[in-house]
Amino acid sequence: MKTQLNDLTRALRDLHKQLINLETQYFGAVGSPLEHLQLITNHPHFAWLQKLSGLMTQIDERLDDPEPVTREEAKAFRQSLEMLIGPCEEGDQEFRAKYNALLHDGPELVMAHGAVRKLLAQM
């Protein structure tokens, strides 16, 4: 399970990066890398991404734990991700609306989404 979650975190980082890139394009000029980071973490325009960032942090923290990852834990992470990016119908509709809108705007994001979905299906 740990190997699968490690693969998933790499794919999630790419997905997250693509989301930030697209949102930054819509936001406009951001200044220095430090200013960009501050915008991503503090500006309301990027706030919706914090749900994905937080879940990624939880997975990374769990992977740092020396105890083996259980199937139940991996399943819980999968369900949490599916609540955000689909296909779970009961998911976070606010996040999903913004996410789905961006999926139509960037082929790199579509590829990153596909990679994450593929890994989730294997879990």
Side-chain angles (χ1 to χ4, degrees):
M1 297 274 54
K2 199 166 191 167
T3 300
Q4 287 179 315
L5 279 180
N6 276 318
D7 293 344
L8 180 61
T9 59
R10 280 191 292 279
L12 285 170
R13 282 187 200 103
D14 184 43
L15 177 71
H16 193 252
K17 178 184 174 190
Q18 298 305 325
L19 288 167
I20 289 171
N21 289 344
L22 281 172
E23 279 293 41
T24 300
Q25 288 176 15
Y26 290 124
F27 184 81
V30 295
S32 72
L34 180 58
E35 291 170 323
H36 190 207
L37 177 62
Q38 289 178 348
L39 282 172
I40 292 166
T41 56
N42 298 317
H43 196 279
H45 180 82
F46 296 93
W48 70 278
L49 290 170
Q50 291 176 3
K51 292 176 183 176
L52 180 59
S53 304
L55 185 53
M56 291 168 58
T57 300
Q58 289 175 19
I59 296 170
D60 285 340
E61 287 174 352
R62 180 59 185 93
L63 287 170
D64 286 342
D65 191 332
E67 294 294 317
V69 177
T70 66
R71 286 196 178 279
E72 292 77 26
E73 289 172 312
K75 183 179 177 183
F77 286 133
R78 177 185 175 177
Q79 289 172 337
S80 295
L81 284 165
E82 288 179 343
M83 295 289 275
L84 292 177
I85 67 169
C88 182
E89 293 297 325
E90 301 83 37
D92 183 323
Q93 297 306 315
E94 181 183 344
F95 183 96
R96 185 91 47 89
K98 292 178 186 220
Y99 183 82
N100 286 341
L102 289 179
L103 275 176
H104 296 288
D105 295 340
E108 295 87 2
L109 178 58
V110 172
M111 296 297 291
H113 171 80
V116 169
R117 289 293 319 138
K118 181 180 178 182
L119 290 167
L120 289 174
Q122 295 171 354
M123 290 178 70

